[in-house]
Amino acid sequence: MSDEGVKTGLLGKIGSGAARRDEYSTAARLGGWQAFKAMWSGHFTKVLLASLLALIFSVPAIAWVIISGTLAGNIGTGVPFNIFDGIGYASPDAMGEYGLTVAVGLGNLLYYQAAVLRFSVLIAGIAIAGVGIGGLAYVARLYMYGEQVRVVRDFFRGVAANWASGLTGGALTGACVFLVMLTHYSFTLNGWGLAGRIFAMIGTIVLLVLVSIYSFYLVAITSSYKTSYPRAVRDAFLLTFVNFPKNMLAALLASLFVGAMFLLELLMGGSQMGALPWALMFFLGFYAVTGIFVSCAQSAFAAYINEGLVERETKLKNEQFYAAKREQRKQQKAAAMTNGEKAPAKKQPARYVNPKKKKKANDKSPAEMTPAPAAPKGGYTAQDLAKMDEDRRKIAEKAAEESDKTVSGLEDESVYEDDGE
């Protein structure tokens, strides 16, 4: 057997402990656009319902963003000035006592502390939202392969299958959001240069993108396969990098969609339609971004997991079949001995006879192998000798004709000697 295409090392371990969750775990690979289109075809109202269920899990994060934003926006009105409250800007008294430079520094420190509080609490909210995204990913995968979905039932099946990976991915994504904002406020607090701020922000945003891809792989793996949590964490990490070009394309498409929503927010934020971008983001955006990454993940699964999964299943079925046959023989033997009957004879495999050895044993021609008849009393007559010479000549000619026919060992059925049954 050729080893061409066989994955070794870390790549060979991807999906090593995975088992089929349902019949669609090893479904035929679909093209990216075809898969994404299948997620929407004829399911628009059901998609809205699934997005609403995911939105419910996002309520803690949304509520905290609104509350913290309201507090920060009402500094000096709803929230009193105080340089020690962690959310206010520097008070006029502080400016008069310490000077403008010190007051600005104290104000930056307070905003830094407020940002730390705001975005550290947001990590927990995003982690809970990740559980809802896990349920949404489960529904999107079923729609991708044309399965009839009962939205509420299957959404919560996805939640049950993905809660651990959803919490992990959400917490990691929230931590990266915290790191991005902490970097921004740190440069403001310390007055570091603009060039350093740009490079630091680019680095943290790239990390956020990679962790977001990783988080979607986590919920996609546990939506498709039954596997242990440590193996899901490992496989998601490997697939984030081995499928890197397609992952970055998926991230670009998702960022364009999210960017369009924020652009609409900037254009409509001050109008009566200001809530429209947020409605589109919550009821269509969550599902669209999830669908992009789920379709990308399925192509990676087809390349790195499904082949090994089918091979393991085939091997397991063979082992189960032969184990059942052995158990059946034992039961038949026990039943026969109980009834006083003779146990059925065990079939022996056909014994193989090496054609070369067989040929060596038959090196002699048929004429040489034919035993000479016993001489009659009084010796052979001239007629007897002539008849014997004629028989030998005919046997020699027949042997010469048969020697011209080349028969391989596999075609020569005589190399197998059957021992009974």
Side-chain angles (χ1 to χ4, degrees):
M1 181 182 295
S2 173
D3 291 336
E4 184 179 357
V6 175
K7 301 175 182 65
T8 57
L10 283 176
L11 297 185
K13 293 182 179 179
I14 297 177
S16 58
R20 190 194 298 262
R21 186 172 289 280
D22 52 39
E23 62 179 309
Y24 298 100
S25 298
T26 55
R29 176 177 174 178
L30 299 175
W33 171 244
Q34 182 184 3
F36 185 74
K37 184 172 67 173
M39 295 178 190
W40 295 87
S41 299
H43 313 305
F44 187 75
T45 55
K46 294 182 178 179
V47 165
L48 294 180
L49 177 57
S51 298
L52 175 61
L53 295 173
L55 180 60
I56 293 173
F57 284 86
S58 303
V59 166
I62 296 171
W64 175 247
V65 169
I66 293 173
I67 292 171
S68 59
T70 302
L71 290 175
N74 290 332
I75 299 296
T77 56
V79 179
F81 287 106
N82 189 321
I83 62 173
F84 301 110
D85 63 9
I87 55 175
Y89 205 75
S91 66
D93 295 337
M95 292 176 63
E97 183 177 354
Y98 299 107
L100 180 61
T101 302
V102 174
V104 169
L106 288 173
N108 288 337
L109 176 61
L110 295 176
Y111 268 96
Y112 174 83
Q113 292 171 346
V116 170
L117 173 65
R118 182 180 186 183
F119 292 101
S120 60
V121 174
L122 188 60
I123 294 174
I126 296 176
I128 297 172
V131 178
I133 295 297
L136 202 60
Y138 189 87
V139 171
R141 185 184 69 90
L142 295 179
Y143 277 142
M144 180 172 63
Y145 289 112
E147 172 69 348
Q148 295 297 320
V149 177
R150 294 181 180 177
V151 178
V152 177
R153 181 197 66 179
D154 290 318
F155 179 87
F156 284 101
R157 279 184 177 178
V159 169
N162 298 332
W163 68 269
S165 55
L167 278 176
T168 302
L172 291 174
T173 302
C176 286
V177 171
F178 173 80
L179 181 60
V180 170
M181 301 312 297
L182 188 67
T183 301
H184 169 70
Y185 281 98
S186 294
F187 274 83
T188 300
L189 173 64
N190 296 287
W192 293 333
L194 179 62
R197 181 198 292 262
I198 292 173
F199 284 106
M201 291 297 293
I202 290 175
T204 53
I205 291 172
V206 169
L207 180 61
L208 173 62
V209 170
L210 290 175
V211 170
S212 299
I213 294 171
Y214 172 77
S215 301
F216 276 105
Y217 266 113
L218 261 180
V219 294
I221 286 174
T222 50
S223 293
S224 299
Y225 307 101
K226 295 178 181 178
T227 185
S228 65
Y229 176 77
R231 284 175 173 167
V233 169
R234 179 200 64 189
D235 293 344
F237 178 79
L238 294 175
L239 289 173
T240 300
F241 293 97
V242 299
N243 206 35
F244 188 77
K246 291 183 178 180
N247 293 339
M248 294 307 296
L249 177 60
L252 177 62
L253 293 174
S255 63
L256 289 176
F257 188 89
V258 175
M261 296 300 102
F262 279 103
L263 179 61
L264 287 176
E265 170 63 20
L266 290 176
L267 296 175
M268 301 180 179
S271 68
Q272 295 180 350
M273 302 294 290
L276 178 61
W278 293 111
L280 290 174
M281 186 63 195
F282 291 138
F283 288 100
L284 297 178
F286 282 0
Y287 187 81
V289 172
T290 301
I292 289 172
F293 284 103
V294 167
S295 59
C296 177
Q298 297 305 309
S299 66
F301 297 162
Y304 293 96
I305 296 180
N306 291 347
E307 183 179 354
L309 175 61
V310 172
E311 183 179 348
R312 289 196 304 275
E313 287 181 343
T314 303
K315 183 178 179 181
L316 178 61
K317 288 177 181 177
N318 289 337
E319 291 175 351
Q320 291 173 344
F321 172 77
Y322 287 115
K325 294 290 288 184
R326 288 192 295 270
E327 185 63 25
Q328 184 183 24
R329 287 198 208 98
K330 289 181 181 178
Q331 292 176 358
Q332 290 176 349
K333 184 176 180 180
M337 296 183 69
T338 302
N339 297 332
E341 300 174 1
K342 185 178 180 182
K346 184 178 179 182
K347 285 189 175 182
Q348 297 293 333
R351 188 173 58 199
Y352 179 76
V353 180
N354 192 330
K356 295 181 179 180
K357 294 182 178 179
K358 187 174 181 181
K359 186 176 179 181
K360 289 180 179 179
N362 300 334
D363 281 342
K364 297 182 180 180
S365 66
E368 295 173 339
M369 293 175 61
T370 303
K377 293 181 178 180
Y380 294 104
T381 64
Q383 292 179 351
D384 292 336
L385 293 175
K387 187 176 183 304
M388 292 170 62
D389 288 337
E390 181 66 19
D391 291 341
R392 288 195 180 94
R393 185 182 64 79
K394 289 180 180 180
I395 292 173
E397 289 177 355
K398 186 176 180 180
E401 291 176 0
E402 291 180 353
S403 65
D404 292 337
K405 299 178 182 179
T406 57
V407 180
S408 66
L410 291 177
E411 295 168 341
D412 185 5
E413 297 181 356
S414 66
V415 299
Y416 293 96
E417 296 182 358
D418 195 358
D419 293 343
E421 294 181 356

